[in-house]
Amino acid sequence: MPNVTLENVTDVVIASLGESGAIDDRQREIMTSLIRHLHGFCKDVKLQHGEFLAACDYLARAGQTCSDKRQEFILLGDILGVEVLVDMLTNVVEGPESVSTVLGPFYRDNPPVLPHGASTVQKHFDDEETVYFEGVVRDTAGNPLAGVTLDVWEDAPNGLYENHDPDQPEYNLRGRFETDAEGRYAFRALRPVPYPIPDNETAGELLRFMGHHPNRPGHMHFILSKDGFRPLISQVYDSSSAWLDNDSVFAVKDSLVAEFQKAPDEMHDDLYVKFDFVLKEKAAAASMAAE
Ligand code: BEZ
Ligand code: FE
C-alpha cells in the first residue's frame, strides 16, 4: 500500500477495486466514477471533518424518516434534480414519443378500474373546478393504440394527495382507464392545484440549506402501459398554474404543459383538457439503449 497523500488518495482507493471477475464492468464503472466525483467534491469545498460528521448524521436521520408512506431518499433526489436527470438518461427521447418526467412519491398501485369517461372524484370540495381530460394514444408511426392502460392520480383542491389526507376516501382522485379501439382515453377529475412537497424532516432541512421553496405547479400524473411499448411515466401541467417556471423538483417540460380551457356548456364540466400521448415501441427503445 503506497503512503496515502492528498495527491494520490483518489487513485489509491480506485486501485483497491476488485479484480475483474470479482466485480463486473458496470460495478467498476460506477465505483470509479463515484470515488472520483466524491473525492473531487470534498477537495473542491475543502470539506472539514465536522461537516463530514454532520452529513453522516443527516443521512442517518433521513433513513429514519423512511416508512411505507415516505421514501425520503427519492424526495432528496427530487430536490437535487437527480430523479429528473436519471429519468432523462433512462428514457431518452429521440423521436415523436411523449416526454416522461418524475414519478414522485405519491403513486399507489391498483387504483379503481373505471370505464371510459368516468370520474375519479369521490369527495367534493367547495372551491373545486371539475375537468374533463381526453386524448388519443398513438405509436411513433401515428397509429392509434387500443388497450393502453392509463393510471392517473392528482392532489385535491386542498393540495393533499388522498393517502396523506385522513379526510379523503381511499383512492380519491385516482383511477385506471383503458384506451378504446380508436386509441382514445377520457376521464373526469378536478383541476390539480399547486402544492408543497413534504418540507418537514430532512427534505425540509435540505430545501432550507439550499434556500429553495417546496412548491410544485398543478399537474395530473399519468402512467401509460401496454405490452411491447416502453412504459411512460409523465405529468401534464396546467399552463396557468403558479410555480410552472420554478418547480421545486425541476420536472416541468414544455411539451407537458396543457391549457385547461373553459369547457363548452354541453360538457357539464368547468374545464376541458385535450392531451395526446405517443408511446415508443419496446424493440426501438431497447436497441437505442444498447447503442
Ligand atoms: C409529485 O409530483 O407528486 C412529486 C414529485 C417529486 C417530489 C414530490 C412530489
Ligand atoms: Fe404530484
Side-chain angles (χ1 to χ4, degrees):
M1 165 89 74
N3 181 44
V4 174
T5 65
L6 205 48
E7 287 67 41
N8 71 8
V9 61
T10 305
D11 291 335
V12 169
V13 178
I14 290 171
S16 77
L17 294 174
E19 313 270 296
S20 54
I23 61 172
D24 66 30
D25 290 349
R26 183 63 174 158
Q27 283 169 267
R28 185 177 311 286
E29 184 182 13
I30 287 174
M31 288 313 300
T32 301
S33 181
L34 177 69
I35 293 160
R36 271 202 207 295
H37 282 87
L38 206 50
H39 284 217
F41 159 73
C42 294
K43 287 179 180 170
D44 227 28
V45 302
K46 296 201 170 49
L47 198 75
Q48 300 296 294
H49 198 244
E51 293 168 327
F52 168 72
L53 293 180
C56 293
D57 176 62
Y58 176 82
L59 291 174
R61 286 186 291 108
Q64 285 152 7
T65 305
C66 293
S67 69
D68 58 346
K69 289 226 187 301
R70 181 158 174 157
Q71 218 305 357
E72 194 72 354
F73 290 99
I74 296 184
L75 263 181
L76 302 184
D78 286 320
I79 292 165
L80 293 169
V82 175
E83 191 183 6
V84 74
L85 168 62
V86 169
D87 173 55
M88 290 187 288
L89 294 170
T90 307
N91 297 302
V92 176
V93 175
E94 285 208 332
E97 65 270 24
S98 298
V99 169
S100 57
T101 190
V102 302
L103 174 66
F106 299 122
Y107 175 65
R108 287 182 77 183
D109 200 2
N110 297 314
V113 175
L114 298 171
H116 188 89
S119 175
T120 62
V121 183
Q122 299 181 45
K123 174 182 172 172
H124 288 279
F125 289 77
D126 289 344
D127 52 349
E128 72 183 27
E129 288 177 278
T130 61
V131 55
Y132 190 84
F133 243 96
E134 70 173 0
V136 177
V137 184
R138 298 188 175 85
D139 65 16
T140 53
N143 306 303
L145 287 175
V148 177
T149 301
L150 293 96
D151 281 8
V152 304
W153 70 105
E154 62 167 324
D155 63 334
N158 63 1
L160 294 173
Y161 285 80
E162 143 280 323
N163 50 341
H164 284 235
D165 180 359
D167 295 330
Q168 289 182 53
E170 285 271 302
Y171 289 100
N172 187 38
L173 299 170
R174 296 176 189 268
R176 178 167 288 171
F177 297 87
E178 197 173 288
T179 55
D180 66 13
E182 277 79 48
R184 292 178 305 211
Y185 76 88
F187 65 94
R188 299 176 62 223
L190 298 181
R191 178 179 227 158
V193 301
Y195 64 87
I197 63 170
D199 62 348
N200 55 355
E201 308 287 357
T202 40
E205 276 181 61
L206 179 59
L207 281 165
R208 285 185 289 282
F209 196 75
M210 292 169 67
H212 203 200
H213 66 83
N215 301 302
R216 298 219 62 214
H219 55 273
M220 180 70 69
H221 287 267
F222 286 85
I223 297 180
L224 279 70
S225 36
K226 179 176 168 72
D227 280 352
F229 291 83
R230 184 166 85 177
L232 176 68
I233 297 173
S234 202
Q235 305 182 14
V236 173
Y237 294 91
D238 178 348
S239 63
S240 65
S241 177
W243 306 107
L244 204 57
D245 294 328
N246 191 2
D247 179 12
S248 58
V249 301
F250 315 99
V252 177
K253 311 286 180 71
D254 287 350
S255 64
L256 300 177
V257 178
E259 195 180 342
F260 284 55
Q261 306 169 46
K262 189 180 170 335
D265 287 345
E266 65 274 14
M267 238 172 199
H268 309 300
D269 281 297
D270 299 319
L271 301 163
Y272 169 69
V273 177
K274 178 157 175 18
F275 198 90
D276 295 342
F277 292 97
V278 176
L279 295 188
K280 189 179 181 101
E281 294 73 6
K282 249 202 185 131
S287 73
M288 238 192 48
E291 278 165 18

